[in-house]
Every structure is written in C-alpha cells, then in structure tokens.
Amino acid sequence: MRAFLAKRAIPGVETTDPAASYARTVSVAGRHGLLTVAPGADSLRVTLRGVEARHAEAVAGRLRRLFDCEADPGAIATCLAGDPVLAPLVAARPGLRLPGAWDPFETGCRAILGQQVSVAAAIGLAGRLVAAFGTPLAEPMDGLTHVFPAPADLVEADIALALNMPRARGTAIRALAAAALADPDLFAPVESLEAAVLRFTAIRGIGPWTAQYIAMRALKLPDALPVGDVGLLRALATATGRPTAAELLARAEAWRPYRAYAAQHLWAADEAAVKAQ
C-alpha cells in the first residue's frame, strides 16, 4: 500500500517517508489540515492537525476506505489463487489490498490525467494542477503546501492551457467538476458496477477505462477492471505476446468478484518487473 501511494503521491498534497508513513493535506468541514498515517503493531496510527476532534470519526471512516481496512484477504486469496498466473503473485504479496480514495473527486481527476500516459507523467500533471488551482496552506509543512482543488476551483478553469496538455483532457476534468457540483451524490454507492460505469461514461471525456478506475478506487467496487490497461496486458504477456483486451476480459471471469484485486496484483508485479529491468 505504501509503495502504491508513494509512487502516486501528488507533489504538495501527499508525501511518504522511509518510516512507511503517509501524509497528506485535507479539507474537512471547510477547514484545511494535515494527517499522517503510520503503521502500528496491529493497526494504523493517525495524527491529525487542523481538524476538529468532532470530525475524527468521519476522517477515520474515509481512511478505512483509503487503506481498504474492510477487505477479507483470505477470501480474496482463495478466489485468485486458482489462476496459474495469479497464484504466485498472491503468494508473493499475501494480503495485498486495494487502495481507495481519500477524495473521490481528486481520484477522478487523477484518472483523467492518467489517460494514455505513464504514472509518472500523470503525477507530474497532477502536481501542476495543484500548483495552479489548489488552495495554499496557511502553514506549509514538510513539503505539504496545497489542498487539492475542489470542483468549484476547476469547473471554469482553462486546465489544458495551464498544464500544457490536450484540450480534451482539460475539458473532461471540467465536465467532471460540473457533474460533481450538479450532483452531490455523483460518487455515492451504486447498485452495481454496470451502473457505476454508465454513470461516469455519461460525463464527456470519460471512457470505460477511466470509469472502471474511478469505480475501483473511488467507489471501492471490488469487481471493477480497467480492461485494456497496458500494465495489466503487459503483466499477462507470454512468449507469444500480450493478450488482447477481449482475452483479458474472458480470463478475468474466473477472478470474479475480485477482479480489482487481481488487477492490483498484476500492477504490482508489472511495476516490480519494470523496475528490475
């Protein structure tokens, strides 16, 4: 989990350190603050700054989703270990969890920025988005300088110009911001993965990959699967080449209802393989 968050930490908003702690800026009930999460003996220890004590329970609930504290690792491992490719990955990373989202809108913007670019490029764009449109902290601390932009900060912004990126991607972020402002329940739970995908693909500039990614991380739907993702296809490559998106989809039927966890294992394995090259 720390490795995943560290690789995707947005400059100015998130940091990680060698002690395996994760820190980020937050906006809670209109107030800006900081939180730090560190591993304990059998729990996660959280330190809050600038957040009123009466909001601690709500913050804990959001963190439980971010760190996937409700997962059942045993059931997930039993399901996925039946696949000959996934079995060694599950054995290598027992209990691997599915990172959620502190802020669903932030995660939606991340997903759009990540369309057709590398993780590093997407995070670079996110850092520039924060620097241009985020809210500066009154008292920056240890590299944490801004709160991620709210929908109202981006709905009329010329994002593509500020970030020097394709205009279609900037338009998609503005459309997501408009949808979030128009519908406070945009990121509320849904009755099915199919309903979630339909909800998000109805927004201009959001296709199936982005919708599935948002469903996976922001809505915490365990069967979400960003079919066609290059990392997933690369992780499943054999001597004869990579599978097609259709072949991945067919194979993933055996991973239900935990296709998102299968994707997490494949991404972790792919990132380790790329790093070793």
Side-chain angles (χ1 to χ4, degrees):
M1 182 73 80
R2 177 193 175 278
F4 183 95
L5 294 175
K7 185 171 182 177
R8 293 159 178 81
I10 299 176
V13 174
E14 302 170 292
T15 61
T16 57
D17 67 27
S21 68
Y22 166 78
R24 68 162 294 135
T25 62
V26 296
S27 179
V28 178
R31 294 185 57 175
H32 298 159
L34 306 171
L35 63 81
T36 301
V37 184
D42 59 357
S43 63
L44 296 174
R45 293 183 289 107
V46 181
T47 302
L48 300 176
R49 297 182 179 88
V51 178
E52 295 180 359
R54 62 193 177 95
H55 298 301
E57 186 174 347
V59 168
R62 293 173 71 171
L63 288 174
R64 290 182 69 83
R65 292 174 62 80
L66 172 58
F67 287 91
D68 202 22
C69 294
E70 306 302 329
D72 183 346
I76 295 165
T78 299
C79 172
L80 301 184
D83 185 293
V85 171
L86 290 178
L89 305 186
V90 172
R93 298 179 179 84
L96 184 69
R97 297 184 185 238
L98 182 68
W102 166 260
D103 175 19
F105 175 70
E106 175 187 302
T107 297
C109 292
R110 287 174 178 263
I112 293 170
L113 292 173
Q115 292 172 351
Q116 301 179 333
V117 300
S118 68
V119 171
I123 294 307
L125 289 171
R128 289 158 59 188
L129 181 75
V130 167
F133 303 108
T135 303
L137 291 180
E139 297 181 12
M141 180 179 295
D142 299 330
L144 298 173
T145 60
H146 290 73
V147 172
F148 193 87
D153 299 321
L154 298 178
V155 70
E156 297 294 341
D158 193 340
I159 300 166
L161 178 64
L163 274 61
N164 189 27
M165 69 178 190
R167 186 154 296 277
R169 230 175 294 167
T171 300
I173 291 177
R174 291 178 58 179
L176 180 66
L181 290 172
D183 181 6
D185 293 325
L186 181 65
F187 297 101
V190 294
E191 64 273 18
S192 68
L193 174 61
E194 292 73 18
V197 171
L198 286 174
R199 174 189 292 179
F200 293 114
T201 53
I203 299 172
R204 181 182 179 186
I206 293 183
W209 181 92
T210 306
Q212 291 275 355
Y213 190 85
I214 295 173
M216 173 188 292
R217 293 200 57 199
L219 271 59
K220 295 295 292 177
L221 297 180
D223 209 34
L225 182 67
V227 178
D229 182 87
V230 173
L232 299 183
L233 300 178
R234 187 167 54 213
L236 288 169
T238 65
T240 59
R242 299 177 187 175
T244 64
E247 289 170 339
L248 167 60
L249 193 59
R251 180 171 191 161
E253 281 299 306
W255 307 340
R256 289 185 182 274
Y258 298 117
R259 296 188 305 176
Y261 289 89
Q264 197 65 31
H265 276 287
L266 291 168
W267 277 329
D270 178 63
E271 290 181 3
V274 171
K275 186 177 181 180
Q277 292 177 355

